[in-house]
Amino acid sequence: MHLLSATAGLVLVNGVSYGLLLFMLSSGLTLIFSMLGVLNFAHASFYMLGAYFAYALTGAVGFWAALIVAPLLVGVAGALFERVVLRRLRARGALAELLATFGLAYIVVELVQLVWGRGPVDYGVPIAFEGVLVHVGGIALPAYRLFLMGLACAIALLVWVAFRATRAGLILQAALSQPAMTQALGYDVPSLYTGVFACGAALAALAGAAGGNVLVTEPGMAATVGSVVFVVVVVGGLGSLGGAFVASLLIGLLQTWAVTSDATLDQWWSRGGAGDAVSPLSFLAPLLHLSVAQLAPAVPYLLMVAVLLWRPRGLFGVREG
């Protein structure tokens, strides 16, 4: 019984830490869509750049300085991209902007492979956290995972306060709902857009810099996590930071539980009284031998389909598509 509770506690902590990492990544995408209306397909590429920049800088200035400098560098790159490319394409509509970010994602992958190669790099956790375990409720947890959770919670609070309780946040909200009026009042709305895009890119890079040493830092990491991030944003509701937070935790917990589960689908099927061979759905029998762990990669997408069938705008959708 103690072993079972310890395992459940470990799954809970790992799920929450993964979910909070997803929120750090998806919050930037949510901000960019809220302000600019751009579904940034290159967002996960900024996440990858944050991990690689932090890896390269760690050897020169140390991990803690790299954790600050890498997101700043990626934020500057994001600002340049918005100012030079997206601003000129805005008059041509959302499709042109989407295609530009799609192309940028491929360019970033190619550049990363040219500089750092096609294999994973040895980006490890800081020496201060190596092998350090923290015992919580009888469960031994890596200290760095707890640091990740604390960092993500701090970022969530900071973003919420900045957007809801500061003068700059109120101006941004005004620019979102009434850009022409905000411009008439003397505020530079295009520069606000550039700043928001830079902040979104920096948040993604921070997630990469902080989480790239827990996950694998390699050229495919953007593709691996990119689709999941879009699922988070859709499930939470396009443009909703609160929705992104809830959806991130939900997906993190469900996927972590699925990965560690040893159950099979036929067990649930038979419990539901549908195990009869003459059932109209008996053609699905070969699929029932799959384990829940094998279906773990599909869990976020199944959740997205379920949420969209029940609530097409997502859990906390605030913006029409």
Side-chain angles (χ1 to χ4, degrees), residues 4-292:
L4 183 61
S5 61
T7 302
L10 190 59
V11 169
L12 176 64
V13 172
N14 287 339
V16 170
S17 63
Y18 177 57
L20 289 173
L21 182 65
L22 284 179
F23 172 73
M24 268 202 295
L25 184 52
S26 62
S27 60
L29 182 61
T30 300
L31 285 175
I32 290 172
F33 180 80
S34 295
M35 286 298 302
L36 281 73
V38 176
L39 279 175
N40 180 18
F41 271 83
H43 194 72
S45 299
F46 294 139
Y47 160 78
M48 179 172 64
L49 283 178
Y52 273 99
F53 283 3
Y55 160 72
L57 290 168
T58 295
V61 299
F63 171 78
W64 300 110
L67 192 62
I68 298 173
V69 176
L72 291 178
L73 292 176
V74 176
V76 170
L80 289 174
F81 177 72
E82 194 282 334
R83 191 176 185 88
V84 174
V85 178
L86 291 183
R87 185 177 297 187
R88 298 183 179 183
L89 294 176
R90 191 156 293 131
R92 301 185 183 181
L95 180 59
E97 295 173 326
L98 187 147
L99 291 175
T101 62
F102 192 75
L104 177 64
Y106 277 93
I107 292 172
V108 170
V109 171
E110 293 299 324
L111 290 176
V112 164
Q113 291 178 345
L114 286 173
V115 176
W116 287 285
R118 297 180 179 273
V121 297
D122 185 21
Y123 181 33
V125 300
I127 297 177
F129 286 109
E130 284 184 353
V132 178
L133 299 178
V134 177
H135 294 272
V136 179
I139 306 171
L141 303 173
Y144 191 73
R145 278 198 177 270
L146 296 180
F147 164 74
L148 272 182
M149 294 168 65
L151 177 64
C153 289
I155 292 299
L157 180 62
L158 180 63
V159 170
W160 186 87
V161 170
F163 198 63
R164 298 292 181 184
T166 65
R167 179 180 175 84
L170 294 176
I171 294 172
L172 287 175
Q173 292 183 62
L176 169 62
S177 57
Q178 297 290 339
M181 181 64 71
T182 306
Q183 184 80 26
L185 290 174
Y187 296 102
D188 189 352
V189 173
S191 294
L192 289 176
Y193 288 165
T194 301
V196 169
F197 196 92
C199 289
L203 283 173
L206 178 61
N213 46 19
V214 174
L215 306 174
V216 180
T217 299
E218 47 90 20
M221 64 188 298
T224 301
V225 77
S227 57
V228 178
V229 172
F230 275 95
V231 169
V232 168
V233 174
V234 171
V235 170
L238 293 174
S240 171
L241 278 173
F245 185 79
V246 173
S248 297
L249 289 178
L250 188 59
I251 289 173
L253 289 169
L254 286 176
Q255 194 161 23
T256 303
W257 166 79
V259 167
T260 58
S261 175
D262 57 358
T264 57
L265 296 184
D266 56 357
Q267 293 175 341
W268 293 345
W269 187 264
S270 58
R271 287 176 188 171
D276 191 352
V278 297
S279 167
L281 299 179
S282 59
F283 68 93
L284 294 176
L287 297 178
L288 300 180
H289 296 292
L290 295 175
S291 67
V292 175

